[in-house]
Amino acid sequence: MKRIAIIGGGISGLSAAFALEQRRNTGAPLEYTLYESSASFGGVLRTERVEGCVVEAGPDSFLTEKPWASDLCRQVGLGEQLIGSNDGDRKTYILVKGRLIPIPDGLMFMVPTKILPVVLSPLFSRATKLRMSHEWFHPPHQADADESVASLVNRHYGPEMVEYLADPLLAGVYGGEASQLSVRAVLPRFADMESKYGSLGRAMLAARKKMPQGSSPPAPPLFTSLRDGMQSLIEIVLKRLPAAFLRPKTLVQALEPQDRGWLVSAGYDTDQFDAVIVATPATAAASLLNSAQSRLASELASIAYSSSVTVALGFDQKVRAALPPGFGFLVPRAENKRLLAATFVHNKFPHRAPADRALIRCFLGGSRDARILDLPDEEILRIVREEIRQILRLSAEPLFTRVYKWRASMAQYAVGHLERLERIERLRQQLPGLGLAGNGYRGIGVPDCVRSGQEAAEQVLAQ
Ligand SMILES: Cc1cc2nc3c(=O)[nH]c(=O)nc-3n(C[C@H](O)[C@H](O)[C@H](O)COP(=O)(O)OP(=O)(O)OC[C@H]3O[C@@H](n4cnc5c(N)ncnc54)[C@H](O)[C@@H]3O)c2cc1C
């Protein structure tokens, strides 16, 4: 009987556990223990139901083009619950000098693919528009080394595109900064497009031409979620795992490699396993593995994490009618606000709010503003309401509010991240029976975390 410990009961650890459970169900001789330090499983996936609204405390959806989360939902019987974002109403605004300006049609993640809407948009100055037309003639460029997203975008479109699009987009997704994040780790497609075509615009159009034309099925929604909220995935996965294998409220303090297997210490208990999957944030993995392999621990500890705060504000029908259409807005740093982004949930996922409610989800913190986590909830609410009043001219009393703080929860893939992962992989292979999963490595989104858990399970089984 092979015994496996999984440390960390977020979506990464649960995905590893579910993969092992499936093997067990086909007769594989194995058992596992899933350790989670807090009272509940799921990590940052948490949903509340408030006044008929589905309020997401952490992630609200995942990218449809990455299949692993949707596939897991189908495997556990949640296929009927999958919902797509309401892309017919997709419109995102950027706050520019206090005004909300829509991102023009044809701008695909900061790459212009349609000339007219971009030329007519007040989002960019004439100088930037000129650079966009010159970009079309960039020759192929093979970068010798990794660089920041800001550096690549600056080379193609200039600093305004970095400040008003790249930076706010990355702050909204990673809680990070374009000047720090690695282009190869965060936007690998951009690095490939540049080396092949030079111009990102020409590369995007070439990719689009390759897509099937004519009577092809309509494009899938950009985002996928679950009708009853992201936490329903956690609840149903937990139901598929034997309760005897679950250890909530159990902080693992140390991992020690043995001649054969690993010792896992939690509180006064020490247990022997054949293999261990560490599915915690990389910083926690670093302290757990420090005595096992200090070089590996130091590489893991160098993966920085940012903290974030989400705030949910529920309003009535009058506010809903007065809010702009679209999915929400992003706030560039130059606007001197603490809000990084806000989503109009009732538009993005209409199933998440009754027809007479508006639900706004605000995002704060990130690597620029870690101090906000130290403020009391009332002060965070005061700041959010004041900035929402300024941006949306909205002073109505919310029907309800919620504040959620997520300390050191989002990995920052700094320049050189992929090289660091190669070193980590070499060091990991020196420790037989060790698997690593989580958002610190090859993707911060929920689908990549699911994949990382499944791959770690396969790895330790193969050894
Ligand atoms: C506010 C926010 C919004 C996000 N929005 C999106 C989104 O819309 N779409 C998307 O795809 N992704 C989003 N993400 C990213 C994504 O949700 C996370 O990257 C992913 O859920 C991380 O899962 P995980 O299991 O790797 O880590 P976590 O959820 O952090 O779970 C790790 C678990 O390990 C436990 N643990 C740590 N140390 C120990 C120990 N020593 N012993 C026992 N247990 C331990 C922790 O208690 C925790 O439960 C968002 C993240 C945040 C914070």
Side-chain angles (χ1 to χ4, degrees), residues 246-422:
L246 306 178
R247 294 262 201 295
K249 291 197 224 163
T250 311
L251 174 79
V252 173
Q253 281 132 335
L255 298 174
E256 205 185 305
Q258 305 284 289
D259 283 344
R260 283 170 163 269
W262 289 79
L263 282 185
V264 174
S265 301
Y268 294 112
D269 288 341
T270 296
D271 208 346
Q272 168 95 36
F273 292 89
D274 299 297
V276 56
I277 296 172
V278 184
T280 64
T283 34
S287 46
L288 287 174
L289 290 164
N290 197 26
S291 59
Q293 172 42 293
S294 60
R295 271 171 57 217
L296 173 60
S298 117
E299 292 285 2
L300 292 169
S302 328
I303 299 173
Y305 275 73
S306 74
S307 301
S308 54
V309 175
T310 57
V311 175
L313 303 172
F315 292 98
D316 63 13
Q317 165 63 29
K318 258 167 91 182
V319 169
R320 180 166 178 156
L323 283 172
F327 281 11
F329 60 86
L330 301 168
V331 185
R333 188 190 318 219
E335 295 294 311
N336 280 321
K337 299 265 183 279
R338 296 189 89 167
L339 256 184
L340 296 173
T343 305
F344 305 143
V345 179
H346 51 277
N347 290 339
K348 185 174 173 186
F349 291 109
H351 326 66
R352 294 256 168 102
D356 59 353
R357 293 281 182 269
L359 180 58
I360 304 181
R361 171 180 147 100
C362 304
F363 193 68
L364 299 96
S367 48
R368 294 187 219 165
D369 190 13
R371 283 170 313 149
I372 197 148
L373 272 94
D374 299 329
L375 298 180
D377 290 3
E378 305 76 56
E379 180 57 11
I380 294 176
L381 268 176
R382 193 197 61 72
I383 292 169
V384 166
R385 289 200 50 202
E386 174 55 21
E387 295 194 355
I388 285 287
R389 188 189 65 71
Q390 291 166 8
I391 297 168
L392 297 172
R393 321 270 181 263
L394 174 59
S395 49
E397 269 305 301
L399 300 173
F400 65 84
T401 60
R402 291 288 185 280
V403 177
Y404 307 98
K405 292 175 175 168
W406 300 111
R407 221 169 262 284
S409 52
M410 284 179 149
Q412 304 293 297
Y413 299 166
V415 174
H417 183 73
L418 296 187
E419 288 82 359
R420 171 165 290 123
L421 291 189
E422 280 170 20

Side-chain angles (χ1 to χ4, degrees), residues 8 10-12 36-37 43-45 59-61 252 410 438-439 444-446:
I11 188 64
S12 302
E36 166 54 48
S37 55
V44 302
L45 271 73
D60 74 341
S61 57
V252 173
M410 284 179 149
N439 72 6
I444 186 179
V446 171

